[in-house]
Amino acid sequence: LNQFVGQALDRPAALEALIQIWAHMAARLRAADIAHCDLQHGNVLLVPGKTANSLALKLIDYDGMWVPSLANTKSGEVGHPSYQHPQRLREGTYGPAVDRFPLLLVATALRALMAGGRALWEKYDNGDNLLFHQADLREPKQSVLFHDLFALGDPATAALTRHVLDSLAGGLESVPPLDEVMADARRVH
């Protein structure tokens, strides 16, 4: 995922297409009542789609996946800290809604990169994240990244960023499904 994003920074249409594919994948996971539980750049591959010049996402590394038959068990892992809600990292939360936060975070990063481009990427990418770092999520009020995202002046990025901040303040249970968030971001765009 990071490699594709790094190569698409000067092609906002490619990033927009990726956001749409990401949102579609989120809806499919939700409809299937499953959660990957470690959505992060290293577990998302971009592969050729069904038609020429199209892409699809392929998730890998399913060892922490949640399915209904695992509802009363604990997970052996909590995912990549630069993508997970701090509450999940603290409490080891495991269930069908744990993907909501990383889904929102990646969509926010992709939209922000459409608006901020290469300069934003070069400032925040460390090769093991997608703009956000664990410290940004733990202490959002001290995060320069959140300030920079609002400073982009892009209404859709601002709307998504507000959802991330609201989710960090409200806890895992307050993270809305990505399709609801995307509808909100489209209304302001």
Side-chain angles (χ1 to χ4, degrees), residues 8 13 24 36 45 51 56 77-78 80 84 86 89 95 98 100 108 110 129 137 139 146 162 172 184:
H24 179 73
H36 183 276
L45 303 178
T51 61
E77 62 180 61
V78 291
H80 192 298
Q84 295 299 322
L89 297 175
V98 297
R100 288 184 183 184
T108 303
L110 293 172
N129 69 330
L137 307 178
E139 299 290 336
F146 282 109
R162 273 194 231 58
L172 268 171
D184 183 41

Side-chain angles (χ1 to χ4, degrees), residues 89-118:
L89 297 175
R90 279 191 316 273
E91 299 173 5
T93 308
Y94 185 56
V98 297
D99 282 350
R100 288 184 183 184
F101 188 75
L103 287 165
L104 170 61
L105 205 67
V106 170
T108 303
L110 293 172
R111 179 63 206 190
L113 288 165
M114 285 178 63
R118 191 163 304 282

Side-chain angles (χ1 to χ4, degrees), residues 9 12 15 108-118 120 149 152-158:
L9 292 170
L15 293 174
T108 303
L110 293 172
R111 179 63 206 190
L113 288 165
M114 285 178 63
R118 191 163 304 282
L120 189 66
L149 295 182
L152 291 172
D154 177 57
T157 299

Side-chain angles (χ1 to χ4, degrees), residues 85 87 91 93 97-98 100 166-177:
H85 193 288
Q87 179 183 348
E91 299 173 5
T93 308
V98 297
R100 288 184 183 184
D166 289 347
S167 296
L168 288 168
L172 268 171
E173 63 282 349
S174 71
V175 183

